[in-house]
């Protein structure tokens, strides 16, 4: 039964990893950008929410609702002002730009908030749970995070497949020049994609901040988990991202059940195995 509980907990943590990976997958699938600042943006969202709560006394749920659209706007502006120019210079330029952004964000957070660890107080919602069986308990926050991950992925998929802007976004990811010829503005479309990516990473950062402590330096570790989930599931595949997050979460949870020292190593090993034997990912050949 301990093994079954490990599977359940791994499945739930996989939802959090999928949330972290969704924006990374979307930006790569649409613009072929690997955003090295992705994890740091999640940390920025956590600190922003913490600052709003401390400075205004607003309830946590209201701050969560406000932070996500703010990050969507930030994403649009970042794409139009910073990333768009680097796209013209090739993939190496975007890597360097996002790497520079990562360094800047870490140092700004360190200067403003210091190196102390923080957490968002989610109250009984973050710490409470219910029993599924005598040996399996499910946390309210963990379950909500998983449901939210599925909801976000479903919403993005419906947006991409059933709206004109979404179809234009997919067309731009396949052939930007042709999409421009039929009336699409690739700069605006890429801005929308980045806005969605930033909104999803903000959600992931806020969910993580309620379940664990954070500090200005943990962004790269969040990036690693997101990157591993994307690669395991399949580059550019949204549902592959969910599958990759679940595989990574279950592997870590089962590894921890065998030996706590194997928690992170088990996830890294499954990532390496996928790269070696199925580099296209578990779900291949499907665009976002």
């Amino acid at each position: 039964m301990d093994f079954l509980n490990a599977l359940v907990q791994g499945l739930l943590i996989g939802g959090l990893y999928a949330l972290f990976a969704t924006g990374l997958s979307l930006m790569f699938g649409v613009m072929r950008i690997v955003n090295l600042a992705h994890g740091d943006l999640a940390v920025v969202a956590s600190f922003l929410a913490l600052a709003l709560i401390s400075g205004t006394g607003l309830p946590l749920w209201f701050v969560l609702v406000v932070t996500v659209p703010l990050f969507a706007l930030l994403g649009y502006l970042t794409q139009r002002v910073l990333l768009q120019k680097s796209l013209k210079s090739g993939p190496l330029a975007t890597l360097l730009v996002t790497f520079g952004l990562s360094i800047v964000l870490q140092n700004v957070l360190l200067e403003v908030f210091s190196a102390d660890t923080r957490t968002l107080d989610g109250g009984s919602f973050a710490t409470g749970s219910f029993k599924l069986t005598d040996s399996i308990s499910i946390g309210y926050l963990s379950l909500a995070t998983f449901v939210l991950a599925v909801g976000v992925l479903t919403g993005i998929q419906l947006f991409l497949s059933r709206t004109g802007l979404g179809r234009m976004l997919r067309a731009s990811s396949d052939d930007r020049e042709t999409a421009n010829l039929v009336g699409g503005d690739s700069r605006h479309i890429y801005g929308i994609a980045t806005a969605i990516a930033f909104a999803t990473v903000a959600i992931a950062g806020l969910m993580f901040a309620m379940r664990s402590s954070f500090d200005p330096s943990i962004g790269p570790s969040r990036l690693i988990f997101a990157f591993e989930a994307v690669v395991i599931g399949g580059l550019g595949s949204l549902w592959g991202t969910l599958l990759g997050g679940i595989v990574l979460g279950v592997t870590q949870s089962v590894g921890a059940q065998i030996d706590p020292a194997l928690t992170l190593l088990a996830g890294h090993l499954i990532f390496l195995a996928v790269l070696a034997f199925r580099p296209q990912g578990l779900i291949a050949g499907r665009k976002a």
Side-chain angles (χ1 to χ4, degrees):
M1 293 302 291
D2 289 339
F3 181 76
L4 182 58
N5 183 58
L7 288 177
V8 172
Q9 302 308 320
L11 175 71
L12 295 176
I13 191 92
L16 178 62
Y17 291 156
L19 269 180
F20 270 112
T22 297
L24 199 66
S25 177
L26 185 64
M27 289 187 69
F28 181 83
V30 174
M31 294 171 285
R32 302 299 184 266
I33 289 178
V34 177
N35 181 11
L36 296 181
H38 191 76
D40 298 291
L41 289 167
V43 180
V44 171
S46 302
F47 274 108
L48 176 60
L50 182 67
L52 288 174
I53 292 172
S54 302
T56 64
L58 292 170
L60 177 60
W61 68 267
F62 185 81
V63 170
L64 299 183
V65 171
V66 169
T67 302
V68 174
L70 282 178
F71 256 70
L73 177 60
L74 176 63
Y76 186 89
L77 294 176
T78 300
Q79 165 59 30
R80 296 301 298 265
V81 174
L82 192 62
L83 298 179
Q84 184 62 40
K85 294 180 180 179
S86 66
L87 277 173
K88 300 176 182 178
S89 302
L92 180 58
T94 58
L95 276 177
L96 293 174
V97 168
T98 58
F99 176 73
L101 180 60
S102 171
I103 298 299
V104 169
L105 290 176
Q106 288 183 46
N107 282 275
V108 169
L109 289 174
L110 189 61
E111 183 68 26
V112 175
F113 295 100
S114 80
D116 295 339
T117 58
R118 311 296 215 291
T119 187
L120 286 181
D121 184 9
S124 59
F125 176 71
T127 58
S129 63
F130 64 92
K131 282 190 172 294
L132 195 61
T133 67
D134 289 339
S135 60
I136 300 176
S137 61
I138 296 179
Y140 297 127
L141 178 60
S142 297
L143 181 60
T145 302
F146 185 85
V147 171
L148 187 59
V150 174
V152 166
L153 286 165
T154 301
I156 294 175
Q157 190 65 56
L158 290 174
F159 167 75
L160 292 174
S161 61
R162 298 192 180 184
T163 67
L165 182 58
R167 287 190 289 268
M168 188 60 71
L169 193 151
R170 297 184 70 170
S172 294
S173 72
D174 293 332
D175 190 334
R176 182 177 63 180
E177 299 301 328
T178 301
N180 286 336
L181 288 175
V182 298
D185 181 353
S186 62
R187 293 173 300 177
H188 175 65
I189 292 169
Y190 287 175
I192 294 297
T194 309
I196 297 172
F198 274 46
T200 59
V201 79
I203 295 172
L206 295 171
M207 294 298 104
F208 175 78
M210 283 191 286
R211 66 177 291 146
S212 181
S213 59
F214 58 92
D215 63 73
S217 65
I218 67 164
S221 65
R222 303 307 102 189
L223 172 66
I224 290 173
F225 292 146
F227 185 72
E228 288 180 343
V230 169
V231 172
I232 292 171
L235 291 172
S237 170
L238 286 177
W239 291 114
T241 297
L242 178 61
L243 178 60
I246 290 173
V247 169
L248 183 62
V250 169
T251 303
Q252 289 182 350
S253 185
V254 172
Q257 187 67 31
I258 298 171
D259 184 347
L262 293 177
T263 303
L264 296 181
L265 179 60
H268 298 330
L269 288 176
I270 196 69
F271 165 69
L272 184 61
V274 170
L275 277 180
F277 300 107
R278 191 174 173 82
Q280 70 271 35
L282 299 179
I283 299 180
R286 300 179 186 180
K287 296 287 184 182

